[in-house]
Amino acid sequence: MKIQFHGAAGDVTGSAYHVTTKRASVLVDCGLFQGGRAQKALNRAERRLQGSRLDAVVLTHGHLDHIGRLPILAKKGYRGPIFATKGTIDVATLILRDALRIQQGDLERENRNRARSGEPPLEPLYSEQDVRALKPLVRAVRYGKRFRVAPGIEGRLVDAGHVIGSASVELTIDDGGKEKVVVFSGDLGPRGAPILGDPTPFERADVVLMESTYGDRDHRSLHDTAIEAREIVADAIERKAKILVPVFAVGRTQLLLYLLAGAFRRKTLPRFPIYLDSPLAIEATKVYGKNGEVFDEEALALVKSGELRRQLASVRFCSSAQESRALNDAKGPCMILAGNGMCTAGRILHHLRHNLHKPETAVLIVGFQSPGSLGRRLVEGEKEVGIFGQRIAVRASVHTMGGFSAHAGQKDLLDWFGTIAPSKPKLIITHGEDRARRTLAQLIHKRHGIRAALPDLGEVIEV
Ligand SMILES: [Zn+2]
C-alpha cells in the first residue's frame, strides 16, 4: 500500500492524501492551496493528482483547504463517490459556491494585469458546471457507521470536534490479504470547546496521519479568552461604541454567537444589537442550526428549549448590500461581525474604513491573520493603513484574542495521539508548518519512542 501527499505536507493548505493498494485508489480530502502567489500557483501546477485513477474520495470536513480542489477533479472527469458527513456536505456546498465567486473575481483581476504585461490570460481553475457536477457524487455517512469505500477498503468517520460535521477518517484496508487500519486525524478541534463534541480518540492503528497545525504551541484557554472578550465588549457597550469583528464564516462566527448568548443568559452582558453582516456566515449559521444532532449536550439542550434563539433575539442578519451599508449610520453600542476573517476582502473593509479613525471603536481579532493581510497589520499596531486606496488613521483599539481557535493546541494533539500510541502505529505528521511538525515529532518521540515521517509535497510513503 502506498500513500502519496498531494498537499498539506510541510504546510497547512491543500490537504489531499492518496492511498493506493493493488485493488483500489482512494483520496482523503482534496483541498485548495491557499496563501501567497506561490501557494495559489500549486493549484494549477500540482498535476500528479489529476492524472491518477481514483475509485473514491473521503472528506474530513468542509473547509476550503480540504475540499477546494474537488471541482478540478470533476473537471478532469471524476465521477466516483465522495463520502462525507451531512454537516460537511452542507458546509462544503456553501464554501464551494463562495470560492467560485472569489475565483472569478481574482481571475478577472489577474488577467487584467497579465494583459498589461502582454501575457496570455489564465483559464479558470474550474467552472460552475464543475461545481454542479459534484452534487450527484456525494454520499452522506453517519459518525461511527462503517461503509464500503472501494474494493477492499472500508471507512468509518468519527467526530473531530473542529467544525460542524468534521471527522477523523479510519480506513480498514485489505492490503494483499493483510488487514491494515489507517487513521487520518483530519483537523482536530480543541477539547472542551462549546457547541461541538470533543475529538473522538482512537485506540489502534497501523498507520496514523496526524495534523500538526499547532504542534509547537498551546493556545490561551478558551475560558480565559472568553472572559477577556467579555470585558472588552462590556467596556465598549458602556462607551456606546461600535465593536467590529472580522470573522471566518464557518465555526468562529457560531462560537462567538454562542458565547454571547451565554453571557446574556447569565446577565454578565446586557443585550445589545449584534449584526451578522456576511451572507456566507448567515448561511453557515443556518447550517449549524440544521445539524444540531451533533452538538454537545449543553448546546443541544439550549437549542431544544428555544433558549439559544431567545437569547440571540438581538442578532440581525444583514444579507443585502443595502442592509450592510445602513450599518454605517447605526448608532453604538453594537457589534458587527463581517467577513472576511483576515480583512483581505469583504464587507469588513467598509466598516473598518468608516470606523478605524474613531478612538471609541473596538476591533476584536478572533482568528489567525496571515502575514501581509490588513488584519495582521492591525494586530501589529500599525497607526495608518490603506483601505480601497485611502489612508486611514488607526485610532480604534485593536484586541487580539488567541484562544478562539478551532484547532487543538499542542497538549490536545499529544493527548489525542496518546491513546493510539500503545498500538505502535507508523506515524506520519502532516498539515503543519515545518517548525510545528518538527516540534510535535520530537515530543512524540521523547514520550512514546515513535519516530514520525514528515513527508514533502508529492512524496510517496510505502507502508
Ligand atoms: Zn479546517
Side-chain angles (χ1 to χ4, degrees):
M1 170 173 69
K2 282 188 253 174
I3 304 176
Q4 187 170 20
F5 299 84
H6 294 298
D11 172 20
V12 294
T13 70
S15 279
Y17 311 131
H18 188 187
V19 180
T20 41
T21 67
K22 282 206 177 71
R23 297 169 64 194
S25 160
V26 171
L27 190 64
V28 175
D29 284 345
C30 190
L32 197 74
F33 290 99
Q34 294 174 283
R37 287 178 78 106
Q39 286 302 103
K40 283 186 185 166
L42 285 173
N43 292 315
R44 292 180 184 278
E46 181 51 40
R47 294 200 187 283
R48 280 170 284 228
L49 173 59
Q50 301 161 16
S52 25
R53 180 198 123 216
L54 209 54
D55 298 307
V57 179
V58 184
L59 301 178
T60 61
H61 65 290
H63 277 153
L64 193 63
D65 61 322
H66 292 257
I67 58 149
R69 278 188 285 166
L70 284 174
I72 304 179
L73 282 190
K75 184 179 178 177
K76 301 284 169 193
Y78 179 70
R79 294 293 179 266
I82 299 171
F83 298 100
T85 64
K86 181 178 160 293
T88 292
I89 294 168
D90 289 349
V91 170
T93 305
L94 275 186
I95 296 243
L96 284 177
R97 213 190 303 147
D98 190 60
L100 179 71
R101 196 178 50 78
I102 292 170
Q103 189 214 178
Q104 284 162 345
D106 277 359
L107 189 73
E108 276 172 32
R109 206 170 321 117
E110 169 108 28
N111 280 342
R112 272 199 303 273
N113 287 337
R114 291 174 72 93
R116 280 188 207 109
S117 57
E119 287 171 282
L122 288 173
E123 287 284 302
L125 265 180
Y126 55 83
S127 68
E128 191 179 345
Q129 201 184 336
D130 302 319
V131 177
R132 255 183 297 160
L134 295 169
K135 198 168 177 206
L137 311 183
V138 294
R139 309 275 184 275
V141 285
R142 283 181 174 282
Y143 285 140
K145 267 233 180 308
R146 270 180 169 250
F147 56 98
R148 185 180 177 277
V149 178
I153 302 185
E154 285 203 341
R156 190 171 68 98
L157 305 184
V158 300
D159 196 349
H162 170 60
V163 288
I164 196 93
S166 66
S168 300
V169 176
E170 179 190 77
L171 296 182
T172 305
I173 298 174
D174 170 14
D175 185 28
K178 243 182 109 186
E179 187 181 280
K180 282 189 185 144
V181 175
V182 183
V183 165
F184 302 77
S185 71
D187 287 6
L188 294 167
R191 274 229 295 247
I195 309 181
L196 301 176
D198 288 344
T200 310
F202 289 87
E203 271 155 23
R204 201 193 81 72
D206 297 292
V207 184
V208 173
L209 282 84
M210 181 186 183
E211 70 120 325
S212 58
T213 317
Y214 287 97
D216 57 345
R217 64 204 131 126
D218 265 312
H219 312 295
R220 191 148 174 247
S221 83
L222 178 72
H223 179 73
D224 294 350
T225 309
I227 290 174
E228 190 191 345
R230 197 179 70 213
E231 281 164 7
I232 293 163
V233 172
D235 176 62
I237 292 174
E238 218 173 275
R239 291 184 291 109
K240 300 197 173 12
K242 270 186 184 165
I243 306 159
L244 304 182
V245 193
V247 285
F248 300 96
V250 185
R252 227 69 50 90
T253 298
Q254 294 74 32
L255 173 64
L256 288 178
L257 291 177
Y258 187 85
L259 292 174
L260 284 163
F264 296 155
R265 189 161 58 98
R266 289 187 297 273
K267 299 197 166 35
T268 48
L269 280 181
R271 278 207 213 157
F272 70 110
I274 297 165
Y275 300 101
L276 188 50
D277 186 21
S278 155
L280 186 63
I282 292 168
E283 290 301 316
T285 304
K286 289 178 186 163
V287 165
Y288 268 69
K290 278 194 302 187
N291 287 277
E293 71 274 7
V294 300
F295 286 2
D296 65 17
E297 253 171 63
E298 187 196 69
L300 201 57
L302 289 174
V303 171
K304 279 198 172 146
S305 64
E307 182 72 9
L308 195 61
R309 191 172 280 275
R310 266 198 300 283
Q311 294 301 340
L312 292 175
S314 65
V315 178
R316 295 275 168 276
F317 286 178
C318 303
S319 293
S320 71
Q322 198 182 0
E323 288 167 299
S324 176
R325 264 195 304 276
L327 294 181
N328 291 338
D329 303 322
K331 295 268 172 292
C334 68
M335 178 183 277
I336 301 174
L337 302 152
N340 72 24
M342 296 193 207
C343 313
T344 51
R347 293 181 178 179
I348 193 69
L349 291 179
H350 296 276
H351 299 302
L352 291 170
R353 181 163 73 136
H354 281 278
N355 296 290
L356 273 181
H357 69 281
K358 299 174 189 164
E360 68 271 22
T361 303
V363 181
L364 280 188
I365 302 282
V366 296
F368 179 76
Q369 305 298 315
S370 70
S373 62
L374 174 59
R376 181 70 157 256
R377 294 206 293 278
L378 291 174
V379 167
E380 285 169 354
E382 287 195 13
K383 289 292 162 229
E384 198 187 70
V385 292
I387 301 176
F388 300 129
Q390 202 180 348
R391 302 306 300 171
I392 309 282
V394 183
R395 296 200 195 94
S397 55
V398 177
H399 309 271
T400 309
M401 316 262 100
F404 287 131
S405 178
H407 277 277
Q410 187 185 66
K411 181 181 178 300
D412 285 345
L413 288 174
L414 286 169
D415 287 350
W416 182 87
F417 187 73
T419 65
I420 205 168
S423 69
K424 294 287 171 205
K426 178 173 180 58
L427 174 63
I428 301 168
I429 297 185
T430 58
H431 201 288
E433 287 172 4
D434 243 1
R435 206 180 97 129
R437 64 177 185 168
R438 275 183 209 291
T439 310
L440 188 66
Q442 280 160 7
L443 284 171
I444 287 177
H445 181 241
K446 211 186 283 170
R447 201 174 279 193
H448 304 288
I450 295 171
R451 255 187 220 293
L454 309 176
D456 291 322
L457 183 62
E459 196 171 320
V460 179
I461 291 184
E462 190 109 23
V463 286

